[in-house]
Amino acid sequence: MEELLVVIGIWVILIFFLRVTKCLRYFLLTRWFGVPNSFFTSKGEWAVVTGSTDGIGKAYACELAKRGLNIVLISRSKEKLQKVADEIEQDTGRNVKIIQADFTNTDIYQHIEENLRGLEIGILVNNVGKIQNEYPCRFLEMSDIDKTINDMISVNVVSMVKMTQLVLPKMKERQKGLILNISSGIANFPSPLCCLYSSTKIFIERFSRGCQAEYGSKGITIQCLMPYAVTTHMSRYISGPTVESAEGFVTKSLDCALLGDRCSGCLKHEIVAFIHGIVSPWIIQSGAIQDKILEFTRKTTALEQ
């Protein structure tokens, strides 16, 4: 028994040490050193950002342009694409190309490939995403469930795989490139009331880390970012002490580009992930907790109406 307790104690100390070390690396990179702009421009002339007309996607496009890259914006609204393109060109003087595409469709990738042909793409940000419902709900209670399932798989899963397939060959040929795949901290554990969303997001994490293992030695960095709450239209512009603005998260996450194949993207969310890991999954998955969340959701919805 004493030997078992010693082993458990050593394991706990080791886990704590690794967590503290990771937090220190976040602090050093985002507060003191950061990643130089030359790191990003050395990958290639162009950065491609999906879902780039709002929130995190728009913030990545603007920030990468400030760091010296030309930008390809891909989203479904031509009007919004042109507006963001004009903003970036006026603010940074970089070249911006727009590609109109609806990622709920799976026949768009030949069109995208044709429009990317001839561009030296150094960075790909797979950001486009879709939630399963405006509010938390159980799987069978999703609105228009068949369409929601198809759309979420097309947007959250297929888009990342296909976009990676399009840009990776040239990156491999040039022996350099950076692919950032935006997942979610909610995928760290099975998440009731958003189970389809969290499931698609954990696919992103597995795919990213597997690809990094395959192509990291070829000079390509493939990183999965798993943020928690970020203020965006999709998150209904929530606020709070652990919430990051889209611009703040993007700036910090780019300074974490050398932190490995998976990270939360900022120190604040790494701390949230640590606390999330301490909370027992059985508490998160408790039926009573789910009922409380659904009751709160119903009251919130009634007040908004």
Side-chain angles (χ1 to χ4, degrees), residues 196-213:
L196 182 59
Y197 178 75
S198 64
S199 298
T200 60
K201 289 298 183 178
I202 198 60
F203 177 91
I204 294 173
E205 191 261 3
R206 292 292 187 263
F207 180 81
S208 301
R209 299 180 74 184
C211 280
Q212 173 61 25

Side-chain angles (χ1 to χ4, degrees), residues 53-94:
T53 55
D54 193 14
I56 292 175
K58 180 181 177 182
Y60 268 114
C62 294
E63 184 62 28
L64 289 170
K66 291 176 185 176
R67 298 193 183 206
L69 288 103
N70 299 321
I71 306 296
V72 180
L73 306 171
I74 309 179
S75 199
R76 66 180 176 181
S77 170
K78 189 172 183 179
E79 181 181 348
K80 290 182 179 180
L81 282 167
Q82 193 58 61
K83 182 180 178 181
V84 175
D86 292 342
E87 288 179 19
I88 293 174
E89 288 176 341
Q90 290 171 12
D91 292 344
T92 67
R94 305 307 305 178

Side-chain angles (χ1 to χ4, degrees), residues 52-214:
S52 48
T53 55
D54 193 14
I56 292 175
K58 180 181 177 182
Y60 268 114
C62 294
E63 184 62 28
L64 289 170
K66 291 176 185 176
R67 298 193 183 206
L69 288 103
N70 299 321
I71 306 296
V72 180
L73 306 171
I74 309 179
S75 199
R76 66 180 176 181
S77 170
K78 189 172 183 179
E79 181 181 348
K80 290 182 179 180
L81 282 167
Q82 193 58 61
K83 182 180 178 181
V84 175
D86 292 342
E87 288 179 19
I88 293 174
E89 288 176 341
Q90 290 171 12
D91 292 344
T92 67
R94 305 307 305 178
N95 295 322
V96 181
K97 181 181 177 69
I98 64 173
I99 302 175
Q100 183 181 13
D102 184 348
F103 285 101
T104 60
N105 300 322
T106 56
D107 58 354
I108 59 174
Y109 295 99
Q110 183 176 350
H111 167 68
I112 294 174
E113 182 178 19
E114 289 170 355
N115 279 272
L116 294 180
R117 191 168 292 135
L119 302 181
E120 185 187 59
I121 298 169
I123 299 175
L124 167 65
V125 182
N126 281 312
N127 164 75
V128 67
K130 182 176 177 60
I131 57 175
Q132 66 184 53
N133 216 56
E134 188 176 5
Y135 295 100
C137 69
R138 293 192 171 97
F139 175 67
L140 293 178
E141 296 168 3
M142 292 189 300
S143 58
D144 200 354
I145 186 168
D146 289 333
K147 185 177 188 304
T148 299
I149 291 170
N150 291 332
D151 286 355
M152 286 191 67
I153 292 174
S154 296
V155 175
N156 295 358
V157 175
V158 176
S159 70
M160 179 198 58
V161 175
K162 291 298 293 182
M163 289 303 300
T164 301
Q165 180 191 10
L166 291 182
V167 305
L168 190 56
K170 290 295 183 182
M171 289 182 174
K172 180 184 174 185
E173 186 179 301
R174 299 196 319 274
Q175 297 283 288
K176 56 184 178 180
L178 171 65
I179 298 177
L180 301 176
N181 294 325
I182 313 303
S183 178
S184 171
I186 207 169
N188 282 318
F189 294 98
S191 299
L193 307 184
C194 55
C195 62
L196 182 59
Y197 178 75
S198 64
S199 298
T200 60
K201 289 298 183 178
I202 198 60
F203 177 91
I204 294 173
E205 191 261 3
R206 292 292 187 263
F207 180 81
S208 301
R209 299 180 74 184
C211 280
Q212 173 61 25
E214 293 176 358

